[in-house]
Every structure is written in C-alpha cells, then in structure tokens.
Amino acid sequence: GAVVSQHPSWVICKSGTSVKIECRSLDFQATTMFWYRQFPKQSLMLMATSNEGSKATYEQGVEKDKFLINHASLTLSTLTVTSAHPEDSSFYICSAREARGYQPQHFGDGTRLSIL
Amino acid sequence: GENVEQHPSTLSVQEGDSAVIKCTYSDSASNYFPWYKQELGKRPQLIIDIRSNVGEKKDQRIAVTLNKTAKHFSLHITETQPEDSAVYFCAASNLDNAGNMLTFGGGTRLMVKP
C-alpha cells in the first residue's frame, strides 16, 4: 500500500516552456503533499507544502509565481514550473502523507527536468 | 527552524562489516526521526523510523538509536551487503505541527565493497 505516482518521470524542453508535474496518491487519501527539489549529489530541499483545498505554503526563497502548486483533491497535487529556464533543471520529487493519524511520507519516483 | 547535520558524507565499508551514520538536530521539539535510502535516480524509501518516546529500534540488520538529551540519532547497518550501497538520508520532524514537514540531513553515500 501507500503508493505515490509521479508523472512525467523525465522532461526535456526548451527555455520558456511551462512544465506541469503530477503527483498522485494511488491507494490512500493525502491531505498534505510536499514538493522537493534535489540537485545532483545533494539533499532534498523542501519547496512547498501543499494542503488539499487551500493555498500552498512555500519555503523561504521559493518563488510562488514561478512554481505554481495546486492540490485540488485528496489524491492529486500538481507543480507547474512556469517559463522554465536552464537553472530550473533539477530532480523534483513529491511526497504524500495519509490523512488519518500520523503516517510517514511516501515519495513519488521523481521527475527529472532538463531545460535546454 | 530545524537544522539537521549528517556525517559522514561518504562511507566505504567491506561487505560484512557494519556501517554507522550519525545525525544531529537542533530543534528540541522534533519528535520523529525517519531514515530514507535513495538509489541513484530513484525515490527515497523509508527504511526505519523512530519516535522520541523510544531510545532504540531494530529491524533485522538495521537499527536506529536516539539520544534526546544530546539531540542526535544514528543508523546502524550490520552485515552490510553490496545492495546496501545507496545514499542514506536522516530527517527530523515535529509530529505536533500540522504540516509535519521533514527536514533532511545532507545525505551519506554508502559504498559496500564486495
């Protein structure tokens, strides 16, 4: 159980393109989803916390107009990187936590974003 | 906010030996400490976790110890195998906070030589 699906797994696109990444909890309801960014050989850096039906909470230094997060249902959160540039190239990973009680975070497979 | 330091950044051991990874945290309110294993290009996978009301937890070859007074916790892997090679991340969280966000350590690249 507790499977998180993230799509797409790899995106290569031109500078200026907007890219949407989906994160779905397949067999549980997730009131909270988290979006992380990971550069090569570095740790996971939390970008934002996404709560179903409300605005996301962004970490300091993360531009909310650049990284649009939508959490419209208990099983889906999306991250849109708007007008992506080469410096946005990174590995983006989502995680989700079950609604009932406290449960560990379960991670998606990640999305490798390469901006040319 | 919380700050988690992890050491060492790289660790190389011979197959069959033990490996120990240590983490310290700064926020005394943190009460949940998971460990994740991440293979190259893949998702972090939870391997073991511990809550602050417990000092030690073991699951087969993996164990975690927690010292709340000193604010540090450690991962112990015994009888290491080549498939244990990966990057390991410790994390800290406060379960009493609504968000339950995790703060990760910098990671340890473990290499187990056959």
Side-chain angles (χ1 to χ4, degrees):
Chain A
V3 176
V4 175
S5 173
Q6 189 171 339
H7 178 80
S9 58
W10 199 349
V11 180
I12 303 174
C13 58
K14 294 180 180 180
S15 185
T17 306
S18 292
V19 179
K20 179 186 280 188
I21 303 170
E22 291 188 350
C23 181
R24 294 180 184 271
S25 56
L26 296 186
D27 50 1
F28 65 97
Q29 293 185 325
T31 50
T32 306
M33 291 186 173
F34 304 87
W35 288 95
Y36 296 86
R37 186 172 179 175
Q38 187 178 32
F39 290 107
K41 298 185 179 181
Q42 293 190 22
S43 188
L44 290 86
M45 299 302 296
L46 180 66
M47 298 174 66
T49 302
S50 168
N51 291 298
E52 185 265 337
S54 63
K55 290 184 179 179
T57 302
Y58 290 81
E59 294 300 299
Q60 192 173 8
V62 179
E63 299 175 57
K64 60 181 180 181
D65 295 329
K66 173 76 172 177
F67 300 98
L68 301 178
I69 292 173
N70 183 281
H71 193 160
S73 77
L74 283 172
T75 59
L76 173 64
S77 176
T78 61
L79 167 69
T80 301
V81 183
T82 62
S83 187
H85 292 284
E87 58 266 29
D88 298 322
S89 299
S90 188
F91 192 53
Y92 293 86
I93 310 178
C94 71
S95 71
R97 188 172 61 80
E98 291 186 57
R100 55 180 180 87
Y102 179 77
Q103 299 292 330
Q105 290 185 29
H106 301 284
F107 285 85
D109 279 328
T111 297
R112 188 163 303 282
L113 178 60
S114 300
I115 308 299
L116 305 177
Chain B
E2 176 66 282
N3 182 48
V4 178
E5 300 283 340
Q6 183 171 346
H7 298 281
S9 56
T10 59
L11 178 59
S12 181
V13 299
Q14 208 65 38
E15 182 178 359
D17 287 351
S18 294
V20 180
I21 303 170
K22 299 182 179 181
C23 288
T24 60
Y25 60 99
S26 61
D27 188 352
S28 57
S30 290
N31 51 24
Y32 174 69
F33 308 93
W35 286 88
Y36 287 87
K37 175 183 179 183
Q38 186 181 30
E39 296 179 15
L40 187 63
K42 296 190 176 180
R43 73 176 77 191
Q45 290 190 309
L46 179 70
I47 55 171
I48 195 167
D49 56 10
I50 190 169
R51 300 194 183 192
S52 60
N53 59 348
V54 176
E56 184 174 355
K57 185 177 178 181
K58 191 173 181 180
D59 182 4
Q60 299 183 332
R61 298 188 295 110
I62 295 172
V64 57
T65 59
L66 171 66
N67 183 326
K68 285 191 299 182
T69 304
K71 295 207 282 284
H72 67 69
F73 55 112
S74 301
L75 177 72
H76 304 252
I77 305 174
T78 58
E79 300 173 28
T80 54
Q81 300 167 2
E83 50 266 38
D84 294 330
S85 298
V87 179
Y88 291 80
F89 292 98
C90 64
S93 177
N94 181 354
L95 299 183
D96 299 321
N97 277 350
N100 297 139
M101 56 177 280
L102 291 172
T103 301
F104 283 88
T108 297
R109 184 171 301 276
L110 175 64
M111 292 169 284
V112 180
K113 299 176 185 176

